[in-house]
Amino acid sequence: MNPRDSHPVSLPIDLTIQILARLPTKSLLRFRSVCKLWREVLSQKQFVDLHFALSSRTRGVAIESPDHAASTPDLVCVDPILGVSAFSLDFLDDRVKIRASCNGLLCCSSVRSRGVYYVCNPMTREFRVLPRTRERPFTRSEPEYEATLVGLGFDPATWRIHVAIAGFHRSFGRWPRGGDRRLVCKVFDAATGAWTRFAASMCDEFTCMNRNQSVYAGCSMNWLTHCCRYVSVLDLENMLWGKITLPDEVLATRQGTRFYLLELEGSVSVVQMSRFWMSTWVLKDRAKEEWALVDRVNLRCIDGYAASVFPISQTKDVVFMATQKKILMHDRNSRVWKEVYGVEGNFTYPLWFSAFAFGSTLFPCRQVRRARRSFFLLAHKSAGRRESHLRSSYKKRGPTFGRSESSIECCLPKKLGQM
């Protein structure tokens, strides 16, 4: 058959989008330079949301290097499918410390300049510098000095960013006790681009581990208190603090167990750990304070680590645990434990203090304008124009077997083209 009598075969744009949405974030960032159509499609909100929905079950752990001598911390990402990969925050051009994470974004505080916070996406290397929390010199009566609690919230539906910081007010040289304690809070809303300050009376304590494990769910920030009787909730819409009591079954067996607060499928989850068992509870109804037991794991297989292992991240399929030098992964379907990351040498800083739940996404940090036209309609029109141009060129010159930006099928990598 004469190749001039055949027409070039191209994948439908809908199929191309579905294939791209199932690829890792790092691959999509490289494919932005393939052609203008792909770059435009991969930047649209509908595609970013589709990619997040398909990759939400592959969230893992991000580990911050404890080497404070370095100008910027090196980060290690442990993914249940892609394995271990390294990346850095050198694009911030500042020495920072990771304080919170949410839906692929990180909240970092500057080590050199107090009151300076960043929200960044380490995969796209996009960042946003938040307004300084205080222009005047810092005193011991401001939350930035203590920074007891730091939380980051990102709503995948609206792409709205919230950052909350809170610290206990105290006069110079005095540490407040009992009912005298006043928690000073500041909340940043990306919609207004400003901080909102308010204060509330609170007698709760927060351990170092509880401070690191903030959960964003339902436009609220959640932290587990030191007493492990309830979850402390910050309502970001009304700027009010509240409490959610833990399940009665958990409170009845609280003696000799440890508790951790994690996120699971967009909901607040409490993990209760004893010597031999790990129980996972999920908050089903916030108003009624109804909890449900969704998983129970026997820890006898890791008896040597059970007393010093901490849950860091979880999905419906896996849960990541951190020891002092290792990251363990438990498959909830096969009930198999696996060591996925380890630190060698004289490493003394425990990994559970520098590990955060993390899943790579394409979410931006800046305010995004609403698209005027549907991105699927735009992709179809662009693909139609390119295919018409390709067919006219084909009739004049004959088939072209090289790489051409005029055709979608030539832009596809070999592996995708063979699918």
Side-chain angles (χ1 to χ4, degrees):
M1 183 180 67
N2 189 353
R4 292 181 180 271
D5 297 334
S6 61
H7 294 289
V9 179
S10 61
L11 289 176
I13 187 63
D14 292 342
L15 179 57
T16 303
I17 291 173
Q18 290 295 330
I19 294 175
L20 292 175
R22 286 165 171 78
L23 296 180
T25 304
K26 187 177 294 187
S27 300
L28 294 177
L29 296 176
R30 294 198 305 266
F31 292 164
R32 283 181 175 180
S33 59
V34 170
C35 63
K36 292 182 179 179
L37 173 61
W38 279 25
R39 184 176 184 84
E40 193 169 8
V41 168
L42 297 180
S43 302
Q44 293 292 325
K45 184 179 186 301
Q46 292 90 334
F47 179 84
V48 176
D49 294 339
L50 176 63
H51 178 262
F52 172 75
L54 295 175
S55 61
S56 59
R57 292 188 176 184
T58 61
R59 299 181 186 180
V61 176
I63 305 170
E64 181 182 15
S65 172
D67 184 10
H68 298 289
S71 58
T72 55
D74 293 327
L75 300 176
V76 176
C77 180
V78 182
D79 189 274
I81 297 178
L82 302 178
V84 180
S85 58
F87 54 94
S88 178
L89 298 180
D90 55 355
F91 56 90
L92 294 177
D93 195 24
D94 191 4
R95 182 183 170 188
V96 298
K97 178 176 176 57
I98 300 176
R99 303 304 303 269
S101 66
C102 182
N103 292 327
L105 302 184
L106 300 177
C107 178
C108 307
S109 61
S110 175
V111 177
R112 300 188 181 101
S113 303
R114 290 178 179 174
V116 175
Y117 289 85
Y118 303 88
V119 175
C120 67
N121 187 327
M123 304 303 297
T124 63
R125 299 176 69 86
E126 182 182 355
F127 68 95
R128 177 173 186 165
V129 184
L130 305 187
R132 198 181 185 98
T133 56
R134 181 180 172 87
E135 296 297 338
R136 293 180 298 173
F138 290 96
T139 64
R140 296 192 179 185
S141 62
E142 289 298 318
E144 298 88 353
Y145 185 85
E146 300 296 341
T148 304
L149 303 175
V150 178
L152 171 65
F154 181 85
D155 189 349
T158 61
W159 287 14
R160 190 176 179 182
I161 298 176
H162 283 99
V163 177
I165 63 174
F168 287 103
H169 171 92
R170 61 170 176 170
S171 302
F172 185 81
R174 263 189 81 207
W175 183 259
R177 299 179 181 276
D180 296 334
R181 304 192 70 180
R182 188 164 62 96
L183 191 67
V184 182
C185 311
K186 284 191 176 183
V187 176
F188 173 81
D189 188 351
T192 61
W195 293 90
T196 301
R197 184 181 185 274
F198 65 100
S201 298
M202 183 175 293
C203 302
D204 300 318
E205 295 284 352
F206 300 92
T207 65
C208 293
M209 197 66 188
N210 296 150
R211 299 174 190 176
N212 290 342
Q213 293 185 322
S214 63
V215 174
Y216 175 80
C219 200
S220 65
M221 296 286 187
N222 302 266
W223 289 273
L224 187 64
T225 58
H226 177 62
C227 66
C228 296
R229 292 182 178 273
Y230 52 83
V231 177
S232 187
V233 183
L234 173 59
D235 187 342
L236 299 175
E237 292 292 340
N238 302 313
M239 302 297 175
L240 295 174
W241 284 93
K243 298 179 180 180
I244 299 178
T245 308
L246 296 186
D248 295 335
E249 296 85 345
V250 171
L251 297 178
T253 58
R254 192 167 60 93
Q255 190 69 24
T257 60
R258 297 175 286 138
F259 298 89
Y260 305 95
L261 194 70
L262 299 180
E263 181 264 345
L264 180 60
E265 305 292 329
S267 301
V268 177
S269 173
V270 171
V271 179
Q272 181 185 18
M273 297 191 62
S274 63
R275 182 178 178 182
F276 300 114
W277 292 96
M278 178 177 67
S279 303
T280 303
W281 297 79
V282 174
L283 182 63
K284 294 298 184 179
D285 192 320
R286 182 181 297 269
K288 298 179 180 179
E289 299 186 359
E290 292 182 355
W291 297 80
L293 180 64
V294 296
D295 191 24
R296 186 172 169 85
V297 180
N298 194 324
L299 300 179
R300 295 180 184 272
C301 295
I302 56 168
D303 190 30
Y305 299 106
S308 60
V309 69
F310 294 77
I312 301 297
S313 175
Q314 63 177 348
T315 66
K316 185 179 179 180
D317 301 319
V318 299
V319 56
F320 286 90
M321 317 280 287
T323 67
Q324 182 168 340
K325 294 186 177 182
K326 297 180 179 180
I327 299 293
L328 307 179
M329 184 181 72
H330 173 69
D331 191 317
R332 284 174 164 161
N333 299 319
S334 62
R335 299 294 179 179
V336 174
W337 289 89
K338 182 180 179 181
E339 179 183 336
V340 293
Y341 178 74
V343 180
E344 299 179 355
N346 297 326
F347 186 84
T348 58
Y349 193 78
L351 286 180
W352 57 74
F353 284 132
S354 58
F356 298 84
F358 180 79
S360 60
T361 64
L362 294 171
F363 286 134
C365 302
R366 297 186 178 92
Q367 186 174 1
V368 181
R369 296 179 181 178
R370 183 174 298 178
R372 296 182 179 180
R373 292 182 293 177
S374 171
F375 108 101
F376 285 103
L377 178 60
L378 176 64
H380 275 291
K381 288 183 177 180
S382 300
R385 289 194 299 267
R386 294 174 186 274
E387 187 172 353
S388 299
H389 174 72
L390 174 64
R391 292 184 185 277
S392 61
S393 301
Y394 177 87
K395 293 179 180 179
K396 294 179 181 179
R397 302 192 307 267
T400 302
F401 298 98
R403 188 182 182 93
S404 172
E405 290 190 359
S406 301
S407 60
I408 298 179
E409 69 276 9
C410 294
C411 297
L412 288 171
K414 293 182 179 180
K415 292 184 179 180
L416 291 179
Q418 295 173 356
M419 293 180 63

